[in-house]
Amino acid sequence: MLRGMKRLNRYENRILKIVKLGGKLVRFKQFGFSTKTKEGFRFPIYVLEIGKEKAIKRNLAGLVAGVHGLETIGIRVLLDFLDDLLSRKTSELYREIKDGELGIVCIPILNPGGVALKRRSNPGGVDLMRNSGVEAVKAPFFFGGHKISNVFPYYRGNVLQAESKVLDRFYNEYFVPAENAMIPVVDIHSGFGVVDHVWWPYAGTHEQCVDETLFQKIANHLTTKFNHILYRFGPQSETYTTHGDLWDRLYNKYQKVKVETGSNGSRFLPLTLEIGTWSDIQLDPWKVFRKRGIFNPAREAKQESIISHRKFLTDVLRLAKTNPIDLL
């Protein structure tokens, strides 16, 4: 656990440096706590607001990482992106944020207890991406989520976990009131496949979500206009299905909110960036036996992988100030 605590501490120190780097453009909030460890300790969960308050309400985009404690490459991608954004004050994205045209909210580490304990799950042994309570139409046995025991990976839990409730609060406080036509949110994961996937709802069913056509247009827009041809776009269920996906739950909640409130036509668009980390297994077969091995790139390729996603994240977040009819 000591090594995990040191790693978590490094990430938290880097978050504080990003806050300092951003000056008045960045606000740092303690937003909730993790599930308790066996010793009764709860790790704080933080949110960063980047941009002017009016932009947070009118042209909002979101970033999340660290849902699984072993997938630390996602945390590093998010922190690298923010560090680069706030360092390069001549970039177009920085100017848009400074001028109040765009706001970003981030949870850099949703599962700090998992990072500290060096485990995929939270401190209670629950896999947060199997925890929402959404039942899949058909999911693979065990891997798709189970309720056998928290001793085994992919355990769903019986109640919504503290970390999942923090994500709920994050959604309710920022995304439900947002006024922009498209509200993109990128949740960064790793550890599946040899290519980088960009998934949209649903994970639990092959049924198309109500925004399927818009998601397809976004994929075409990012591929054709911005040349993001190395990413494989599609609903997660095309790759595999799971019970309890948190974004399936929040996406469905948003559709109900729209009906109940007669909302202004905004679209809540959660995307999962799944960074493929299996391409080097043939060169290093022992990787599959290391605890964090299959969830992260090889050490010699790690920095290149981290930097490679900067432009993609920039182009996705800028969708927050785009009208759907302007997409290709």
Side-chain angles (χ1 to χ4, degrees):
M1 180 173 172
L2 181 59
R3 290 182 65 185
M5 285 291 293
K6 287 181 178 179
R7 182 178 295 115
L8 178 62
N9 188 53
R10 286 199 302 270
Y11 295 148
E12 291 180 340
N13 285 338
R14 193 168 177 192
I15 291 169
L16 293 176
K17 289 178 182 177
I18 287 169
V19 173
K20 185 176 180 181
L21 182 64
K24 293 181 179 179
L25 280 179
V26 180
R27 293 168 296 283
F28 175 73
K29 294 185 177 183
Q30 197 271 306
F31 213 68
F33 291 92
S34 73
T35 302
K36 288 182 181 179
T37 65
K38 290 180 181 178
E39 297 77 21
F41 184 76
R42 302 177 73 189
F43 295 89
I45 300 172
Y46 303 110
V47 161
L48 297 180
E49 293 181 358
I50 302 171
K52 297 183 178 180
E53 290 187 10
K54 66 176 184 179
I56 298 292
K57 294 177 181 177
R58 296 178 185 171
N59 283 316
L60 180 69
L63 287 172
V64 176
V67 176
H68 292 134
L70 295 179
E71 298 173 11
T72 52
I73 187 68
I75 300 170
R76 294 183 64 176
V77 166
L78 187 151
L79 296 179
D80 168 82
F81 172 77
L82 296 182
D83 200 329
D84 180 69
L85 167 64
L86 297 169
S87 297
R88 291 194 303 115
K89 294 180 168 53
T90 56
S91 72
E92 188 170 1
L93 182 61
Y94 181 86
R95 180 198 61 77
E96 290 171 346
I97 292 171
K98 186 178 180 182
D99 292 348
E101 297 177 22
L102 180 67
I104 302 171
V105 289
C106 309
I107 299 181
I109 311 173
L110 182 65
N111 182 14
V115 175
L117 295 169
K118 296 191 294 183
R119 56 203 283 180
R120 175 184 170 89
S121 68
N122 73 353
V126 175
D127 186 323
L128 298 178
M129 287 310 289
R130 307 291 188 272
N131 179 235
S132 76
V134 175
E135 295 290 324
V137 173
K138 186 178 181 182
F141 173 70
F142 195 72
F143 170 75
H146 65 85
K147 293 192 176 183
I148 301 169
S149 169
N150 65 356
V151 172
F152 303 113
Y154 312 115
Y155 179 63
R156 297 176 62 185
N158 295 309
V159 296
L160 201 64
Q161 298 294 290
E163 298 86 351
S164 303
K165 291 178 180 177
V166 168
L167 189 64
D168 255 32
R169 182 187 166 199
F170 184 62
Y171 156 82
N172 284 312
E173 188 163 320
Y174 293 109
F175 301 120
V176 173
E179 299 173 3
N180 40 313
M182 295 195 294
I183 309 167
V185 185
V186 183
D187 180 18
I188 309 173
H189 287 255
S190 63
F192 177 84
V194 296
V195 300
D196 299 326
H197 290 81
V198 180
W199 291 325
W200 57 75
Y202 287 114
T205 176
H206 291 286
E207 204 174 288
Q208 291 186 350
C209 68
V210 296
D211 293 307
E212 175 70 22
T213 300
L214 178 55
F215 278 120
Q216 292 284 0
K217 286 183 178 180
I218 289 171
N220 184 55
H221 176 75
L222 293 171
T223 303
T224 306
K225 185 171 182 178
F226 296 107
N227 201 35
H228 294 299
I229 57 175
L230 298 181
Y231 295 89
R232 186 171 296 173
F233 296 85
Q236 183 183 321
S237 58
E238 283 187 351
T239 308
Y240 60 82
T241 55
T242 66
H243 296 293
D245 185 273
L246 292 173
W247 296 110
D248 280 10
R249 177 175 181 271
L250 295 179
Y251 181 80
N252 285 337
K253 280 182 68 175
Y254 191 82
Q255 308 316 310
K256 291 179 181 178
V257 167
K258 286 176 65 177
V259 172
E260 292 168 359
T261 62
S263 89
N264 57 5
S266 297
R267 310 284 189 92
F268 175 61
L269 304 171
L271 295 166
T272 297
L273 169 57
E274 179 76 17
I275 299 171
T277 55
W278 296 357
S279 58
D280 57 350
I281 287 178
Q282 282 188 331
L283 297 175
D284 181 15
W286 292 103
K287 173 177 180 168
V288 299
F289 298 106
R290 294 195 292 271
K291 197 164 189 177
R292 295 169 56 245
I294 63 170
F295 297 104
N296 296 278
R299 181 172 297 178
E300 56 270 19
K302 192 169 290 185
Q303 191 59 28
E304 181 182 350
S305 176
I306 290 169
I307 292 172
S308 70
H309 300 290
R310 289 176 182 173
K311 187 175 185 304
F312 172 77
L313 293 177
T314 296
D315 294 335
V316 172
L317 297 182
R318 293 186 72 211
L319 291 171
K321 56 190 294 290
T322 305
N323 193 302
I325 63 174
D326 296 329
L327 297 177
L328 291 174

